[in-house]
Amino acid sequence: MRKADLISGVEQVSRALDESGLELPLVEVARLGYRREPVPGELLTRLLSALRDYGLLANRFTRPARLLAEQLGLAPLEHADTWSLLIAAENRAQEAFAYAERVRFGTQYLPRISGLLAQAGIPSVDAARRGEGGASGVDVLTVQVIESPRRFSTPTRLATLLDSLDVLYGVCAVLEGAEPGGLSVIACDSGSDKTFELMGAAPVIAAVRALVLSLWDRVVFYRELPAAQRYRMAAESLPLLDRVRERAQQGQLSPEQAELLRRRLVEGSGKFLVAGATIPELQERAYANPRTLMAPAPKLLAAPIPGD
């Protein structure tokens, strides 16, 4: 599980516990149970409302949040049979107290765990991650490296991917009138897949993101072809090549500059496809599976781990 997914899961569970307000009614039910007193209607209403609210929020948990809730013993709070135990069971005091302790741990310590996992922030970087980098003119591109459980990336693969992004950023920077060397790798994360976060000038990052999406459209269009041919056709049919030609025709680029940009664009796109990576925005285009069509070349994966 990637660190970013774990942080998101921690925040989801913490928010669900806090917004539902479960802890106080659970503690009150436990106190009444120890005194062998029935649960009054007003407390019953508050408890059931809190359980309902938590269940609604938990229903939207992502997989990391779901796994975290299960590990903390909170998953039963979503089920009606647990609600019955808390209200009418002989040992309802013990049950309510046990769940109250779990909820209290979650509300008190999960935010701290999230802060511990998060990277120590640089204000401009944190703002860019939140999509608020417009004021400083920067943006963040997230790139996910596709891996299988038993075959990991070779150093060559990661170098190929990062080199492709550097090349594509440089081409887009020239076309956007920005500094070609302004791309930075600001974070790496790993789990079942690996993720890189790269920061650069906002217009250039937007252009690179659009370029990857247009590559994806063409990979899907040529999906019946063998991988090598599919990648070549996709790289050589990019709309950005037309923009380079237009700039040359208008005299904004010399023929030599235009040819160099064209070659670097095709080279960088081909390397990106061979390396096998996706961006989160590709997931919104669900008419094909990015993990299949954007898979890496087999030679860029290490041999399977023996004995697994």
Side-chain angles (χ1 to χ4, degrees), residues 25-304:
L26 283 171
V27 169
E28 293 180 21
V29 167
R31 287 172 179 166
L32 289 173
Y34 283 123
R35 296 200 299 261
R36 303 291 181 179
E37 297 178 17
V39 180
E42 179 272 337
L43 176 55
L44 179 60
T45 298
R46 283 196 291 123
L47 175 63
L48 292 177
S49 295
L51 289 166
R52 178 202 61 200
D53 292 344
Y54 175 79
L56 290 172
L57 292 167
N59 192 50
R60 298 197 293 269
F61 281 171
T62 58
R63 183 173 179 273
R66 174 69 54 196
L67 293 174
L68 179 61
E70 291 173 357
Q71 292 299 315
L72 292 175
L74 297 170
L77 290 172
E78 302 173 47
H79 308 305
D81 54 352
T82 303
W83 302 6
S84 300
L85 285 176
L86 295 173
I87 295 167
E90 286 253 346
N91 62 337
R92 62 185 170 89
Q94 292 87 344
E95 292 285 343
F97 183 76
Y99 283 114
E101 284 291 291
R102 297 172 195 174
V103 171
R104 179 175 298 168
F105 176 88
T107 53
Q108 288 186 353
Y109 293 104
L110 285 181
R112 303 181 193 181
I113 293 172
S114 178
L116 184 64
L117 291 171
Q119 180 177 342
I122 300 171
S124 60
V125 173
D126 293 338
R129 281 198 181 101
R130 296 192 301 268
E132 302 168 1
S136 56
V138 297
D139 195 5
V140 171
L141 177 71
T142 300
V143 181
Q144 185 175 349
V145 180
I146 303 166
E147 291 189 322
S148 66
R150 296 182 65 247
R151 296 195 67 183
F152 297 102
S153 298
T154 61
T156 300
R157 180 192 182 189
L158 301 181
T160 299
L161 173 64
L162 293 174
D163 183 53
S164 75
L165 292 168
D166 190 44
V167 169
L168 295 177
Y169 184 90
V171 172
C172 291
V174 171
L175 296 176
E176 295 294 330
E179 174 59 45
L183 187 65
S184 303
V185 179
I186 60 171
C188 307
D189 196 2
S190 66
S192 54
D193 293 323
K194 293 181 175 65
T195 299
F196 294 92
E197 287 184 348
L198 302 100
M199 187 172 72
V204 186
I205 290 293
V208 174
R209 189 178 290 116
L211 172 59
V212 173
L213 292 175
S214 64
L215 263 177
W216 163 246
D217 289 336
R218 280 150 186 78
V219 168
V220 172
F221 183 78
Y222 297 118
R223 62 183 176 273
E224 302 301 329
L225 298 176
Q229 190 177 356
R230 179 168 71 239
Y231 295 163
R232 179 177 60 80
M233 296 288 287
E236 293 178 351
S237 61
L238 288 168
L240 208 57
L241 291 169
D242 295 331
R243 187 175 172 189
V244 172
R245 278 191 289 269
E246 290 171 3
R247 289 285 186 91
Q249 291 169 358
Q250 295 167 2
Q252 298 175 358
L253 294 172
S254 68
E256 293 79 11
Q257 286 177 311
E259 178 61 19
L260 178 61
L261 287 179
R262 188 196 70 79
R263 289 184 182 182
R264 289 182 66 79
L265 181 56
V266 172
E267 173 198 357
S269 300
K271 283 186 174 182
F272 183 87
L273 292 171
V274 168
T278 71
I279 60 177
E281 291 80 3
L282 283 182
Q283 305 303 323
E284 300 171 8
R285 306 192 176 200
Y287 47 80
N289 185 357
R291 296 187 66 87
T292 300
L293 290 181
M294 302 294 272
K299 66 180 181 180
L300 296 182
L301 294 176

